[in-house]
Amino acid sequence: MNFLLRYGSTMRLLSMGVALLALAAFAPGAARAQQITTIKVIFFVTDPSGAAIGNATIVLGMPSNTPGAKTDEYGRLSTDLPIGAQYNFPVSAPGYVSDYIYIDLTSAELPADDTKNVTVVLHREEPHSQSGPKSRETLLVTGDANHSPLNLSLAQFRALPHVDVKVRNGHTNTDDAYSGVPLAALLAKVDAPLGENLRGKALTNYVVATGADGYSVVLSLGEIDLSFHGGQIVVADARDGQPLTTSGPYQLIVPEDKRPARWVRNLVTISMESVH
């Protein structure tokens, strides 16, 4: 009987030891998984042929006047970015039209090796292009992580229903007539919570509008939605019946602002964010 008791105790001790060893082997992996808060992102900047563009500038910081990092001779730039956010980084290179790199790190399906490759293609400037800020002809509108971004070409944008607004330009002291698409209509296309859905937590959402030079402004959803606010905020593509030139092809117009500081020229992105 004593032998059986000793044998049973020994087996229980052995089982506990095996279990502890298994937990010890698993623990580092579990701890590592919990500690992963960033992901390595490798940017590749190329021309339309696929040739690398070295010495291209990518502005990774905020505010927009932060000095940019440079790609190497292979058009490559590596950095670590926090997981759980969307990013839109200005990228430029001498002799090329500036653009933006959009990257979404809110998805749970991130690479198993914790590395993400992102390629951006820059197009050469036309020989007789006008001087001044360069802007692309597409407009990027992003909502929350559950909806795909809307990337509108100029032709697609001009095909959308337009409205006309007359505003007083405090910079030029002139009365201007703009034609464009209501900002609320663009946000509705990425399922922004507007109308009856704009209540409670949804009221913590806001919109960041960014121009080609990195200039950004913020608007609340409450002042964009006509059920809350009387002003018709529009993304304009024409002024006084003519397409926008140096301030276009898109410009954010906030008619009720006494100063046009939030009239974003050369608008390139509209991003809905939320206060966490």
Side-chain angles (χ1 to χ4, degrees):
M1 177 66 68
N2 290 336
F3 170 78
L4 291 176
L5 289 173
R6 288 197 300 273
Y7 176 80
S9 298
T10 301
M11 292 303 296
R12 283 195 296 273
L13 289 172
L14 286 173
S15 298
M16 291 175 62
V18 171
L20 289 172
L21 286 173
L23 286 172
F26 174 78
R32 186 187 69 84
Q34 292 176 353
Q35 293 172 358
I36 294 177
T37 58
T38 63
I39 185 172
K40 181 176 291 296
V41 179
I42 302 177
F43 297 105
F44 294 92
V45 182
T46 74
D47 67 13
S49 72
I53 301 178
N55 204 39
T57 300
I58 303 177
V59 181
L60 299 172
M62 291 294 290
S64 59
N65 59 358
T66 302
K70 301 287 187 179
T71 59
D72 60 19
E73 59 183 310
Y74 304 104
R76 181 178 55 197
L77 174 64
S78 176
T79 188
D80 292 328
L81 293 175
I83 293 172
Q86 297 175 335
Y87 301 91
N88 205 37
F89 298 130
V91 55
S92 59
Y96 292 85
V97 178
S98 299
D99 207 334
Y100 277 71
I101 298 176
Y102 172 76
I103 178 171
D104 185 354
L105 295 183
T106 59
S107 172
E109 298 179 359
L110 294 174
D113 59 355
D114 301 329
T115 300
K116 185 176 183 67
N117 296 326
V118 179
T119 299
V120 61
V121 178
L122 296 184
H123 297 267
R124 285 198 174 275
E125 294 178 355
E126 297 180 3
H128 302 292
S129 62
Q130 296 180 345
S131 60
K134 302 296 188 300
S135 62
R136 60 182 184 184
E137 289 193 348
T138 56
L139 179 64
L140 180 66
V141 184
T142 61
D144 61 33
N146 297 319
H147 300 91
S148 299
L150 178 68
N151 204 13
L152 290 168
S153 68
L154 187 55
Q156 290 172 325
F157 184 88
R158 288 176 174 168
L160 296 174
H162 279 47
V163 297
D164 297 323
V165 294
K166 292 183 178 180
V167 296
R168 180 70 178 179
N169 190 328
H171 282 167
T172 61
N173 290 322
T174 58
D175 293 318
D176 298 326
Y178 286 91
S179 175
V181 178
L183 179 56
L186 293 173
L187 291 171
K189 292 183 176 297
V190 291
D191 288 334
L194 299 169
E196 292 298 321
N197 294 322
L198 187 53
R199 63 179 70 184
K201 187 178 179 180
L203 286 168
T204 63
N205 290 322
Y206 60 95
V207 170
V208 179
T210 304
D213 60 355
Y215 183 76
S216 297
V217 301
V218 173
L219 304 103
S220 68
L221 276 190
E223 63 184 318
I224 295 170
D225 192 328
L226 286 177
S227 66
F228 271 78
H229 197 265
Q232 178 85 296
I233 300 175
V234 302
V235 176
D237 60 350
R239 181 179 64 243
D240 298 327
Q242 298 297 321
L244 299 179
T245 54
T246 57
S247 62
Y250 313 102
Q251 183 175 8
L252 183 70
I253 304 296
V254 188
E256 293 195 345
D257 281 3
K258 292 183 178 179
R259 294 189 300 117
R262 293 194 295 177
W263 294 20
V264 182
R265 299 158 56 95
N266 310 119
L267 183 67
V268 291
T269 63
I270 299 167
S271 176
M272 189 185 74
E273 310 286 348
S274 63
V275 177
H276 298 290

